[in-house]
Amino acid sequence: MRFSTITAVVVASTLAWFHNADALPQISTALPLPSSPPGLPAAAAIIAHGTAAGADYCCAALSFVLGSKVSYPLGISYISSLATYWSQQESQLVPSCIVSPKSTQDVSAAVYALSLPNAETTCKFAIRSAGHTPWAGAANIQSGVTIDLGAMKAVNVNAARTVTSIEPGARWVDVYLKLDAMSLAVPGGRVADVGVGGLVTGGGFSYFSPRYGFVCDNVVNYEVVLASGQVVNANATSNPDLWFALKGGSNNFGVVTRFDLNTFSQGKLWGGLIYHTITTREQQFQAFAKLNSAPKYDTYAALINSYAYTPGTGWLIANCYEYTKPEAYPPVFNDFTSLQPQLLNTMRISNLSDFTVELMVTSPPGSRDLFATATYGNSASFLSKFFDLSNSTLQPIKNIIGLKYSISYQPIPTVVTSHAAENGGNALGLDPSDGNLVLVLLGISWLNAADDTAVNAQAKNLFSQANALASSMGLLNEWIYLNYASEWQDPIDGYGAANKAKLQAVSEKYDPTQVFQKQVPGGYKLFT
C-alpha cells in the first residue's frame, strides 16, 4: 500500500513539474567556472550537457557524470528511495531525480555538478543519510535533486580496534551488529533505523553519553566533500575549525562521507522497557529529578522517561532504561523500577543492537510526524507542570485519526556536557556551568494531512506556554537539540551568538559561494 501510494504521488507531481518547468529559478552568468575534481569532465562540458536538456538541466548534468546512479520518477530505484523515508511528509515530496552515490568520488562529482554556476538554472538539492527527520524538506526536496547516501554504509574497524570508520548512509543497527560481534562499541544512536550522518552532525545522544559525551565529541575525523567537489579531512590538526563546526553544525558546510569515531571495549548491557500507569507520574517526576541531580552521577545509567497518549488507552508511562554494564536492576534506577503496578517489563541483559531494534519497533514509519523540543533546568515541579500543559494542549487534537502523542524527559547531567572540552570542543554551546538539564521531546504521529495545521498549532502552543513558565521559574535554557527540533524552531540560534558567529565564519571560508546555504534549503541555515 505504501509503495503504490508513493507511485501515485510521483505520477501526479511529475506531470505538474513538466507543466511548470519554465518557472525554475535563474542566477547570474557572471561567475567563473571552478576546476573539475580529478576524473570528471570539464565544467564547461557538464554545463553544456545539462543545458542541452533544457528544463531538466540539473538531472541531465548529473546523469552526464554519474550515469545510472541517477534515477527518475517512476523508476524502481527512485520509488524505493522515497518509500524508505520515516515520515509521510518526506516520502510524499517528489524530487526531479535522485542520485545514489556509492563512493566519496561519486559524492564529489554530484556536488560539483550541482554547484556549477549556470545562467539558466540554480540546482537546489537535499542531502539524505537515512531520512529520519520528519518535517518536509529536511532531507528531501520537491522538484530538485536528492542526494541519497543510503548505498554508502560501510563500517570498518582499524587494526588497533580504537577507531571505527562509518559511511553516512549506515543505520545505527548496521554499526552495532558489526561491533557487537567484536565486543566493541561507539557512542551512537539509540534507534536502529536512524542514520549515522544526520545524528552525528546534529550532536547526537547515546546510551554512553554520561561516559563519553555527545556522539560528536567522539569523532576524531570527518571526511568531507566541499561545495567545490574537493575532498578534505577535518580533525584536530587538519582543518580544525571545520572539525569544530561539524560537531553540531549539520549540513551547512559540505557532505560528510566518512565519520571516524573513537571505539572502546563493550560487552553486553542491561536494559529494556517498563510501562507504568499514569497514576505514578508524580513519583516518576521526583525520581527523575533525584537521579539527574545526584552528586556523583552513575555514568553507566541512561534513561528516557516517556508519557504516551493514544485515544484508545489514554495516558501511560513508558520508561527506557539502559545500564551499560551487564548488571541487572542497579541501585541508580531503584526509585523507578520499584514502582507498581508494571504493565510491561522487557528488562534483560543483551547487546546494543537488540535494544536499538526494540526502540525502533515503538516508532514505525509511515505516519505524519512531528518532533519539537526544549531544554530546561532540573525540577520535579516543572516536569509535573509541563505534563499538565501537555495534557491541556492535547485536548483540541486528541481525537484526530491515527493520533499517537508523547512527551519524553531525558537527563543531561553535567557529566555529559563536561566531555566536550577534553575532545576539542563542539558547536553546541553547552557546558557544565549550565547545571543539570532536562531535554524534553514532544513526538506526535497522525495520518491525515488535513490535520497538520492543528497539530503544529498545539505543539507551538505547548512550548510557548512551557517556555514562559520555565522562564518565570528561572529554568529556561536556550539550547534546542537540533535532531529533535521542529521546522519552526531555530537550534543554531540556541548555540549562542559566539558559536553561531564561528559557524558563519567557517561557512564563508569553506563554502565561499554559499552553496550549502542557498542551494540546500533543508535543515537549519546559519544566516537566518
Side-chain angles (χ1 to χ4, degrees), residues 176 184-190 205-215 218 264-267 269 299-302 322-325 352 416 419:
Y176 300 145
L184 298 173
V186 295
R190 297 165 294 184
F205 279 97
S206 85
Y207 293 134
F208 302 107
S209 286
R211 289 165 60 187
Y212 298 106
F214 289 95
V215 177
N218 296 273
F264 51 90
S265 297
Q266 177 65 45
L269 49 154
T299 59
Y300 291 89
E322 306 296 334
Y323 198 70
T324 58
K325 287 181 181 180
L352 193 53
V416 172
H419 291 286

PDB file of all heavy atoms in Angstrom, residues 176 184-190 205-215 218 264-267 269 299-302 322-325 352 416 419:
ATOM      1  N   TYR A 176      26.138  -1.354  14.985  1.00  0.00           N
ATOM      2  CA  TYR A 176      26.158  -2.159  16.202  1.00  0.00           C
ATOM      3  C   TYR A 176      26.236  -3.661  15.915  1.00  0.00           C
ATOM      4  O   TYR A 176      26.858  -4.401  16.683  1.00  0.00           O
ATOM      5  CB  TYR A 176      24.935  -1.844  17.062  1.00  0.00           C
ATOM      6  CG  TYR A 176      24.853  -0.399  17.502  1.00  0.00           C
ATOM      7  CD1 TYR A 176      23.625   0.248  17.615  1.00  0.00           C
ATOM      8  CD2 TYR A 176      26.003   0.336  17.797  1.00  0.00           C
ATOM      9  CE1 TYR A 176      23.545   1.562  18.018  1.00  0.00           C
ATOM     10  CE2 TYR A 176      25.926   1.656  18.200  1.00  0.00           C
ATOM     11  CZ  TYR A 176      24.700   2.268  18.305  1.00  0.00           C
ATOM     12  OH  TYR A 176      24.624   3.579  18.701  1.00  0.00           O
ATOM     13  N   LEU A 184      32.879  -4.562  20.893  1.00  0.00           N
ATOM     14  CA  LEU A 184      33.258  -3.156  20.818  1.00  0.00           C
ATOM     15  C   LEU A 184      32.007  -2.303  20.723  1.00  0.00           C
ATOM     16  O   LEU A 184      30.910  -2.805  20.453  1.00  0.00           O
ATOM     17  CB  LEU A 184      34.140  -2.900  19.589  1.00  0.00           C
ATOM     18  CG  LEU A 184      35.488  -3.609  19.501  1.00  0.00           C
ATOM     19  CD1 LEU A 184      36.123  -3.350  18.132  1.00  0.00           C
ATOM     20  CD2 LEU A 184      36.419  -3.138  20.614  1.00  0.00           C
ATOM     21  N   ALA A 185      32.182  -1.009  20.915  1.00  0.00           N
ATOM     22  CA  ALA A 185      31.068  -0.075  20.733  1.00  0.00           C
ATOM     23  C   ALA A 185      31.612   1.307  20.411  1.00  0.00           C
ATOM     24  O   ALA A 185      32.789   1.615  20.644  1.00  0.00           O
ATOM     25  CB  ALA A 185      30.178  -0.015  21.976  1.00  0.00           C
ATOM     26  N   VAL A 186      30.739   2.129  19.854  1.00  0.00           N
ATOM     27  CA  VAL A 186      30.965   3.563  19.704  1.00  0.00           C
ATOM     28  C   VAL A 186      29.744   4.276  20.275  1.00  0.00           C
ATOM     29  O   VAL A 186      28.647   3.711  20.302  1.00  0.00           O
ATOM     30  CB  VAL A 186      31.139   3.975  18.223  1.00  0.00           C
ATOM     31  CG1 VAL A 186      32.397   3.372  17.628  1.00  0.00           C
ATOM     32  CG2 VAL A 186      29.905   3.605  17.398  1.00  0.00           C
ATOM     33  N   PRO A 187      29.886   5.510  20.742  1.00  0.00           N
ATOM     34  CA  PRO A 187      28.696   6.284  21.087  1.00  0.00           C
ATOM     35  C   PRO A 187      27.888   6.542  19.812  1.00  0.00           C
ATOM     36  O   PRO A 187      28.440   7.001  18.802  1.00  0.00           O
ATOM     37  CB  PRO A 187      29.259   7.585  21.651  1.00  0.00           C
ATOM     38  CG  PRO A 187      30.673   7.242  22.058  1.00  0.00           C
ATOM     39  CD  PRO A 187      31.123   6.236  21.049  1.00  0.00           C
ATOM     40  N   GLY A 188      26.608   6.214  19.822  1.00  0.00           N
ATOM     41  CA  GLY A 188      25.794   6.375  18.623  1.00  0.00           C
ATOM     42  C   GLY A 188      24.318   6.386  18.949  1.00  0.00           C
ATOM     43  O   GLY A 188      23.919   6.418  20.117  1.00  0.00           O
ATOM     44  N   GLY A 189      23.496   6.345  17.928  1.00  0.00           N
ATOM     45  CA  GLY A 189      22.058   6.468  18.082  1.00  0.00           C
ATOM     46  C   GLY A 189      21.428   5.328  18.860  1.00  0.00           C
ATOM     47  O   GLY A 189      21.979   4.229  18.955  1.00  0.00           O
ATOM     48  N   ARG A 190      20.247   5.610  19.371  1.00  0.00           N
ATOM     49  CA  ARG A 190      19.552   4.656  20.234  1.00  0.00           C
ATOM     50  C   ARG A 190      18.395   3.956  19.534  1.00  0.00           C
ATOM     51  O   ARG A 190      17.762   3.081  20.111  1.00  0.00           O
ATOM     52  CB  ARG A 190      19.049   5.375  21.485  1.00  0.00           C
ATOM     53  CG  ARG A 190      20.173   5.945  22.331  1.00  0.00           C
ATOM     54  CD  ARG A 190      19.691   6.958  23.347  1.00  0.00           C
ATOM     55  NE  ARG A 190      19.161   8.157  22.707  1.00  0.00           N
ATOM     56  CZ  ARG A 190      18.741   9.232  23.363  1.00  0.00           C
ATOM     57  NH1 ARG A 190      18.788   9.255  24.690  1.00  0.00           N
ATOM     58  NH2 ARG A 190      18.275  10.274  22.727  1.00  0.00           N
ATOM     59  N   PHE A 205      22.850  12.135  20.920  1.00  0.00           N
ATOM     60  CA  PHE A 205      22.848  11.489  22.230  1.00  0.00           C
ATOM     61  C   PHE A 205      23.002   9.991  22.047  1.00  0.00           C
ATOM     62  O   PHE A 205      22.559   9.419  21.051  1.00  0.00           O
ATOM     63  CB  PHE A 205      21.536  11.757  22.979  1.00  0.00           C
ATOM     64  CG  PHE A 205      21.491  13.092  23.652  1.00  0.00           C
ATOM     65  CD1 PHE A 205      20.880  14.163  23.036  1.00  0.00           C
ATOM     66  CD2 PHE A 205      22.072  13.284  24.896  1.00  0.00           C
ATOM     67  CE1 PHE A 205      20.832  15.404  23.647  1.00  0.00           C
ATOM     68  CE2 PHE A 205      22.038  14.514  25.522  1.00  0.00           C
ATOM     69  CZ  PHE A 205      21.416  15.579  24.897  1.00  0.00           C
ATOM     70  N   SER A 206      23.599   9.332  23.053  1.00  0.00           N
ATOM     71  CA  SER A 206      23.726   7.882  23.035  1.00  0.00           C
ATOM     72  C   SER A 206      23.543   7.359  24.448  1.00  0.00           C
ATOM     73  O   SER A 206      23.529   8.127  25.425  1.00  0.00           O
ATOM     74  CB  SER A 206      25.090   7.455  22.486  1.00  0.00           C
ATOM     75  OG  SER A 206      26.078   7.452  23.489  1.00  0.00           O
ATOM     76  N   TYR A 207      23.417   6.049  24.569  1.00  0.00           N
ATOM     77  CA  TYR A 207      23.373   5.442  25.899  1.00  0.00           C
ATOM     78  C   TYR A 207      24.700   5.611  26.635  1.00  0.00           C
ATOM     79  O   TYR A 207      24.768   5.435  27.849  1.00  0.00           O
ATOM     80  CB  TYR A 207      23.036   3.955  25.792  1.00  0.00           C
ATOM     81  CG  TYR A 207      21.641   3.674  25.300  1.00  0.00           C
ATOM     82  CD1 TYR A 207      21.407   2.713  24.320  1.00  0.00           C
ATOM     83  CD2 TYR A 207      20.549   4.360  25.825  1.00  0.00           C
ATOM     84  CE1 TYR A 207      20.121   2.440  23.875  1.00  0.00           C
ATOM     85  CE2 TYR A 207      19.263   4.101  25.380  1.00  0.00           C
ATOM     86  CZ  TYR A 207      19.057   3.138  24.397  1.00  0.00           C
ATOM     87  OH  TYR A 207      17.780   2.871  23.966  1.00  0.00           O
ATOM     88  N   PHE A 208      25.742   5.975  25.905  1.00  0.00           N
ATOM     89  CA  PHE A 208      27.070   6.149  26.501  1.00  0.00           C
ATOM     90  C   PHE A 208      27.398   7.612  26.781  1.00  0.00           C
ATOM     91  O   PHE A 208      28.524   7.931  27.159  1.00  0.00           O
ATOM     92  CB  PHE A 208      28.136   5.561  25.565  1.00  0.00           C
ATOM     93  CG  PHE A 208      27.934   4.114  25.244  1.00  0.00           C
ATOM     94  CD1 PHE A 208      27.491   3.723  23.987  1.00  0.00           C
ATOM     95  CD2 PHE A 208      28.177   3.133  26.194  1.00  0.00           C
ATOM     96  CE1 PHE A 208      27.301   2.379  23.684  1.00  0.00           C
ATOM     97  CE2 PHE A 208      27.994   1.787  25.903  1.00  0.00           C
ATOM     98  CZ  PHE A 208      27.554   1.404  24.639  1.00  0.00           C
ATOM     99  N   SER A 209      26.428   8.512  26.591  1.00  0.00           N
ATOM    100  CA  SER A 209      26.717   9.942  26.763  1.00  0.00           C
ATOM    101  C   SER A 209      27.253  10.303  28.141  1.00  0.00           C
ATOM    102  O   SER A 209      28.150  11.140  28.252  1.00  0.00           O
ATOM    103  CB  SER A 209      25.486  10.776  26.419  1.00  0.00           C
ATOM    104  OG  SER A 209      25.279  10.805  25.026  1.00  0.00           O
ATOM    105  N   PRO A 210      26.759   9.699  29.248  1.00  0.00           N
ATOM    106  CA  PRO A 210      27.369  10.043  30.540  1.00  0.00           C
ATOM    107  C   PRO A 210      28.838   9.650  30.634  1.00  0.00           C
ATOM    108  O   PRO A 210      29.607  10.312  31.346  1.00  0.00           O
ATOM    109  CB  PRO A 210      26.515   9.248  31.545  1.00  0.00           C
ATOM    110  CG  PRO A 210      25.198   9.074  30.873  1.00  0.00           C
ATOM    111  CD  PRO A 210      25.543   8.875  29.422  1.00  0.00           C
ATOM    112  N   ARG A 211      29.246   8.622  29.909  1.00  0.00           N
ATOM    113  CA  ARG A 211      30.650   8.192  29.928  1.00  0.00           C
ATOM    114  C   ARG A 211      31.514   8.937  28.912  1.00  0.00           C
ATOM    115  O   ARG A 211      32.696   9.189  29.157  1.00  0.00           O
ATOM    116  CB  ARG A 211      30.735   6.686  29.647  1.00  0.00           C
ATOM    117  CG  ARG A 211      30.227   5.824  30.787  1.00  0.00           C
ATOM    118  CD  ARG A 211      29.975   4.380  30.353  1.00  0.00           C
ATOM    119  NE  ARG A 211      31.172   3.695  29.849  1.00  0.00           N
ATOM    120  CZ  ARG A 211      31.139   2.487  29.290  1.00  0.00           C
ATOM    121  NH1 ARG A 211      29.989   1.821  29.164  1.00  0.00           N
ATOM    122  NH2 ARG A 211      32.255   1.936  28.876  1.00  0.00           N
ATOM    123  N   TYR A 212      30.917   9.318  27.760  1.00  0.00           N
ATOM    124  CA  TYR A 212      31.730   9.839  26.660  1.00  0.00           C
ATOM    125  C   TYR A 212      31.215  11.133  26.042  1.00  0.00           C
ATOM    126  O   TYR A 212      31.822  11.642  25.101  1.00  0.00           O
ATOM    127  CB  TYR A 212      31.843   8.774  25.560  1.00  0.00           C
ATOM    128  CG  TYR A 212      32.534   7.510  26.020  1.00  0.00           C
ATOM    129  CD1 TYR A 212      31.808   6.344  26.255  1.00  0.00           C
ATOM    130  CD2 TYR A 212      33.909   7.485  26.239  1.00  0.00           C
ATOM    131  CE1 TYR A 212      32.435   5.175  26.678  1.00  0.00           C
ATOM    132  CE2 TYR A 212      34.546   6.318  26.666  1.00  0.00           C
ATOM    133  CZ  TYR A 212      33.803   5.170  26.879  1.00  0.00           C
ATOM    134  OH  TYR A 212      34.432   4.015  27.306  1.00  0.00           O
ATOM    135  N   GLY A 213      30.133  11.685  26.528  1.00  0.00           N
ATOM    136  CA  GLY A 213      29.634  12.935  25.980  1.00  0.00           C
ATOM    137  C   GLY A 213      28.729  12.727  24.777  1.00  0.00           C
ATOM    138  O   GLY A 213      28.222  11.633  24.521  1.00  0.00           O
ATOM    139  N   PHE A 214      28.509  13.811  24.043  1.00  0.00           N
ATOM    140  CA  PHE A 214      27.712  13.717  22.821  1.00  0.00           C
ATOM    141  C   PHE A 214      28.430  12.838  21.804  1.00  0.00           C
ATOM    142  O   PHE A 214      29.656  12.697  21.838  1.00  0.00           O
ATOM    143  CB  PHE A 214      27.471  15.109  22.239  1.00  0.00           C
ATOM    144  CG  PHE A 214      26.530  15.952  23.050  1.00  0.00           C
ATOM    145  CD1 PHE A 214      27.016  16.845  23.996  1.00  0.00           C
ATOM    146  CD2 PHE A 214      25.158  15.840  22.883  1.00  0.00           C
ATOM    147  CE1 PHE A 214      26.152  17.615  24.756  1.00  0.00           C
ATOM    148  CE2 PHE A 214      24.283  16.612  23.635  1.00  0.00           C
ATOM    149  CZ  PHE A 214      24.776  17.497  24.574  1.00  0.00           C
ATOM    150  N   VAL A 215      27.671  12.302  20.865  1.00  0.00           N
ATOM    151  CA  VAL A 215      28.288  11.463  19.830  1.00  0.00           C
ATOM    152  C   VAL A 215      29.353  12.263  19.077  1.00  0.00           C
ATOM    153  O   VAL A 215      30.455  11.769  18.805  1.00  0.00           O
ATOM    154  CB  VAL A 215      27.219  10.923  18.870  1.00  0.00           C
ATOM    155  CG1 VAL A 215      27.867  10.111  17.748  1.00  0.00           C
ATOM    156  CG2 VAL A 215      26.201  10.058  19.624  1.00  0.00           C
ATOM    157  N   ASN A 218      33.040  12.422  20.003  1.00  0.00           N
ATOM    158  CA  ASN A 218      33.860  11.233  19.794  1.00  0.00           C
ATOM    159  C   ASN A 218      34.313  11.049  18.358  1.00  0.00           C
ATOM    160  O   ASN A 218      34.899  10.028  18.013  1.00  0.00           O
ATOM    161  CB  ASN A 218      33.071  10.011  20.260  1.00  0.00           C
ATOM    162  CG  ASN A 218      32.800  10.053  21.743  1.00  0.00           C
ATOM    163  OD1 ASN A 218      33.609   9.612  22.537  1.00  0.00           O
ATOM    164  ND2 ASN A 218      31.661  10.624  22.133  1.00  0.00           N
ATOM    165  N   PHE A 264      35.594   1.697  21.814  1.00  0.00           N
ATOM    166  CA  PHE A 264      36.003   1.160  23.113  1.00  0.00           C
ATOM    167  C   PHE A 264      35.452  -0.252  23.282  1.00  0.00           C
ATOM    168  O   PHE A 264      34.507  -0.661  22.598  1.00  0.00           O
ATOM    169  CB  PHE A 264      35.514   2.068  24.249  1.00  0.00           C
ATOM    170  CG  PHE A 264      34.052   2.412  24.183  1.00  0.00           C
ATOM    171  CD1 PHE A 264      33.100   1.614  24.810  1.00  0.00           C
ATOM    172  CD2 PHE A 264      33.615   3.541  23.494  1.00  0.00           C
ATOM    173  CE1 PHE A 264      31.745   1.923  24.741  1.00  0.00           C
ATOM    174  CE2 PHE A 264      32.263   3.864  23.422  1.00  0.00           C
ATOM    175  CZ  PHE A 264      31.337   3.051  24.048  1.00  0.00           C
ATOM    176  N   SER A 265      36.022  -0.981  24.211  1.00  0.00           N
ATOM    177  CA  SER A 265      35.538  -2.330  24.523  1.00  0.00           C
ATOM    178  C   SER A 265      34.185  -2.247  25.205  1.00  0.00           C
ATOM    179  O   SER A 265      33.969  -1.413  26.084  1.00  0.00           O
ATOM    180  CB  SER A 265      36.535  -3.060  25.427  1.00  0.00           C
ATOM    181  OG  SER A 265      37.761  -3.242  24.763  1.00  0.00           O
ATOM    182  N   GLN A 266      33.270  -3.120  24.801  1.00  0.00           N
ATOM    183  CA  GLN A 266      31.932  -3.111  25.386  1.00  0.00           C
ATOM    184  C   GLN A 266      31.297  -4.489  25.223  1.00  0.00           C
ATOM    185  O   GLN A 266      31.127  -4.967  24.099  1.00  0.00           O
ATOM    186  CB  GLN A 266      31.053  -2.064  24.702  1.00  0.00           C
ATOM    187  CG  GLN A 266      29.613  -2.028  25.200  1.00  0.00           C
ATOM    188  CD  GLN A 266      29.502  -1.595  26.648  1.00  0.00           C
ATOM    189  OE1 GLN A 266      30.148  -0.630  27.059  1.00  0.00           O
ATOM    190  NE2 GLN A 266      28.677  -2.290  27.432  1.00  0.00           N
ATOM    191  N   GLY A 267      30.975  -5.107  26.349  1.00  0.00           N
ATOM    192  CA  GLY A 267      30.231  -6.357  26.300  1.00  0.00           C
ATOM    193  C   GLY A 267      28.738  -6.084  26.329  1.00  0.00           C
ATOM    194  O   GLY A 267      28.267  -5.029  25.894  1.00  0.00           O
ATOM    195  N   LEU A 269      24.947  -5.389  27.955  1.00  0.00           N
ATOM    196  CA  LEU A 269      24.446  -4.418  28.904  1.00  0.00           C
ATOM    197  C   LEU A 269      23.044  -4.826  29.351  1.00  0.00           C
ATOM    198  O   LEU A 269      22.444  -5.751  28.788  1.00  0.00           O
ATOM    199  CB  LEU A 269      24.448  -3.006  28.319  1.00  0.00           C
ATOM    200  CG  LEU A 269      23.831  -2.779  26.929  1.00  0.00           C
ATOM    201  CD1 LEU A 269      23.361  -1.327  26.812  1.00  0.00           C
ATOM    202  CD2 LEU A 269      24.858  -3.036  25.828  1.00  0.00           C
ATOM    203  N   THR A 299      27.633   6.986  35.768  1.00  0.00           N
ATOM    204  CA  THR A 299      27.831   7.220  34.338  1.00  0.00           C
ATOM    205  C   THR A 299      27.457   6.034  33.459  1.00  0.00           C
ATOM    206  O   THR A 299      27.495   6.146  32.230  1.00  0.00           O
ATOM    207  CB  THR A 299      29.295   7.624  34.054  1.00  0.00           C
ATOM    208  OG1 THR A 299      30.168   6.589  34.509  1.00  0.00           O
ATOM    209  CG2 THR A 299      29.635   8.930  34.740  1.00  0.00           C
ATOM    210  N   TYR A 300      27.090   4.925  34.052  1.00  0.00           N
ATOM    211  CA  TYR A 300      26.624   3.789  33.263  1.00  0.00           C
ATOM    212  C   TYR A 300      25.112   3.831  33.046  1.00  0.00           C
ATOM    213  O   TYR A 300      24.561   2.987  32.331  1.00  0.00           O
ATOM    214  CB  TYR A 300      27.025   2.471  33.938  1.00  0.00           C
ATOM    215  CG  TYR A 300      28.520   2.236  33.894  1.00  0.00           C
ATOM    216  CD1 TYR A 300      29.349   2.708  34.913  1.00  0.00           C
ATOM    217  CD2 TYR A 300      29.111   1.571  32.824  1.00  0.00           C
ATOM    218  CE1 TYR A 300      30.721   2.520  34.867  1.00  0.00           C
ATOM    219  CE2 TYR A 300      30.471   1.391  32.759  1.00  0.00           C
ATOM    220  CZ  TYR A 300      31.277   1.858  33.783  1.00  0.00           C
ATOM    221  OH  TYR A 300      32.643   1.678  33.729  1.00  0.00           O
ATOM    222  N   ALA A 301      24.437   4.798  33.633  1.00  0.00           N
ATOM    223  CA  ALA A 301      22.973   4.860  33.595  1.00  0.00           C
ATOM    224  C   ALA A 301      22.477   5.818  32.515  1.00  0.00           C
ATOM    225  O   ALA A 301      22.945   6.946  32.404  1.00  0.00           O
ATOM    226  CB  ALA A 301      22.437   5.305  34.956  1.00  0.00           C
ATOM    227  N   ALA A 302      21.508   5.339  31.730  1.00  0.00           N
ATOM    228  CA  ALA A 302      20.846   6.173  30.725  1.00  0.00           C
ATOM    229  C   ALA A 302      19.340   5.941  30.841  1.00  0.00           C
ATOM    230  O   ALA A 302      18.892   4.797  31.021  1.00  0.00           O
ATOM    231  CB  ALA A 302      21.330   5.825  29.326  1.00  0.00           C
ATOM    232  N   GLU A 322      18.687   1.910  30.345  1.00  0.00           N
ATOM    233  CA  GLU A 322      19.869   1.181  29.869  1.00  0.00           C
ATOM    234  C   GLU A 322      20.979   1.374  30.897  1.00  0.00           C
ATOM    235  O   GLU A 322      21.227   2.501  31.354  1.00  0.00           O
ATOM    236  CB  GLU A 322      20.348   1.682  28.503  1.00  0.00           C
ATOM    237  CG  GLU A 322      19.288   1.683  27.417  1.00  0.00           C
ATOM    238  CD  GLU A 322      18.743   0.317  27.040  1.00  0.00           C
ATOM    239  OE1 GLU A 322      19.464  -0.695  27.225  1.00  0.00           O
ATOM    240  OE2 GLU A 322      17.580   0.255  26.564  1.00  0.00           O
ATOM    241  N   TYR A 323      21.612   0.288  31.247  1.00  0.00           N
ATOM    242  CA  TYR A 323      22.776   0.337  32.123  1.00  0.00           C
ATOM    243  C   TYR A 323      23.894  -0.353  31.358  1.00  0.00           C
ATOM    244  O   TYR A 323      23.784  -1.525  31.009  1.00  0.00           O
ATOM    245  CB  TYR A 323      22.487  -0.381  33.449  1.00  0.00           C
ATOM    246  CG  TYR A 323      23.454  -0.013  34.550  1.00  0.00           C
ATOM    247  CD1 TYR A 323      23.428   1.260  35.125  1.00  0.00           C
ATOM    248  CD2 TYR A 323      24.398  -0.932  35.009  1.00  0.00           C
ATOM    249  CE1 TYR A 323      24.314   1.607  36.137  1.00  0.00           C
ATOM    250  CE2 TYR A 323      25.284  -0.587  36.019  1.00  0.00           C
ATOM    251  CZ  TYR A 323      25.239   0.691  36.582  1.00  0.00           C
ATOM    252  OH  TYR A 323      26.121   1.036  37.578  1.00  0.00           O
ATOM    253  N   THR A 324      24.965   0.390  31.038  1.00  0.00           N
ATOM    254  CA  THR A 324      25.942  -0.107  30.082  1.00  0.00           C
ATOM    255  C   THR A 324      26.979  -1.043  30.705  1.00  0.00           C
ATOM    256  O   THR A 324      28.149  -1.059  30.330  1.00  0.00           O
ATOM    257  CB  THR A 324      26.607   1.067  29.330  1.00  0.00           C
ATOM    258  OG1 THR A 324      27.235   1.945  30.257  1.00  0.00           O
ATOM    259  CG2 THR A 324      25.572   1.838  28.520  1.00  0.00           C
ATOM    260  N   LYS A 325      26.496  -1.819  31.659  1.00  0.00           N
ATOM    261  CA  LYS A 325      27.182  -2.982  32.220  1.00  0.00           C
ATOM    262  C   LYS A 325      26.160  -4.111  32.284  1.00  0.00           C
ATOM    263  O   LYS A 325      24.952  -3.849  32.368  1.00  0.00           O
ATOM    264  CB  LYS A 325      27.658  -2.710  33.660  1.00  0.00           C
ATOM    265  CG  LYS A 325      28.836  -1.798  33.827  1.00  0.00           C
ATOM    266  CD  LYS A 325      29.144  -1.699  35.326  1.00  0.00           C
ATOM    267  CE  LYS A 325      30.317  -0.784  35.609  1.00  0.00           C
ATOM    268  NZ  LYS A 325      30.585  -0.711  37.075  1.00  0.00           N
ATOM    269  N   LEU A 352      23.709  -4.234  22.271  1.00  0.00           N
ATOM    270  CA  LEU A 352      23.227  -2.914  21.883  1.00  0.00           C
ATOM    271  C   LEU A 352      22.291  -2.987  20.683  1.00  0.00           C
ATOM    272  O   LEU A 352      21.280  -2.266  20.626  1.00  0.00           O
ATOM    273  CB  LEU A 352      24.432  -2.017  21.583  1.00  0.00           C
ATOM    274  CG  LEU A 352      24.196  -0.524  21.444  1.00  0.00           C
ATOM    275  CD1 LEU A 352      23.447   0.041  22.641  1.00  0.00           C
ATOM    276  CD2 LEU A 352      25.520   0.195  21.243  1.00  0.00           C
ATOM    277  N   VAL A 416      27.712  14.835  31.275  1.00  0.00           N
ATOM    278  CA  VAL A 416      27.597  14.732  29.816  1.00  0.00           C
ATOM    279  C   VAL A 416      28.275  15.912  29.145  1.00  0.00           C
ATOM    280  O   VAL A 416      29.084  15.749  28.216  1.00  0.00           O
ATOM    281  CB  VAL A 416      26.118  14.641  29.387  1.00  0.00           C
ATOM    282  CG1 VAL A 416      25.992  14.725  27.868  1.00  0.00           C
ATOM    283  CG2 VAL A 416      25.478  13.357  29.904  1.00  0.00           C
ATOM    284  N   HIS A 419      32.404  16.535  28.771  1.00  0.00           N
ATOM    285  CA  HIS A 419      33.319  15.818  27.880  1.00  0.00           C
ATOM    286  C   HIS A 419      33.749  16.637  26.665  1.00  0.00           C
ATOM    287  O   HIS A 419      34.764  16.319  26.034  1.00  0.00           O
ATOM    288  CB  HIS A 419      32.673  14.515  27.403  1.00  0.00           C
ATOM    289  CG  HIS A 419      32.508  13.486  28.475  1.00  0.00           C
ATOM    290  ND1 HIS A 419      33.572  12.756  28.982  1.00  0.00           N
ATOM    291  CD2 HIS A 419      31.408  13.060  29.137  1.00  0.00           C
ATOM    292  CE1 HIS A 419      33.122  11.929  29.907  1.00  0.00           C
ATOM    293  NE2 HIS A 419      31.815  12.096  30.030  1.00  0.00           N
TER     294      HIS A 419
END
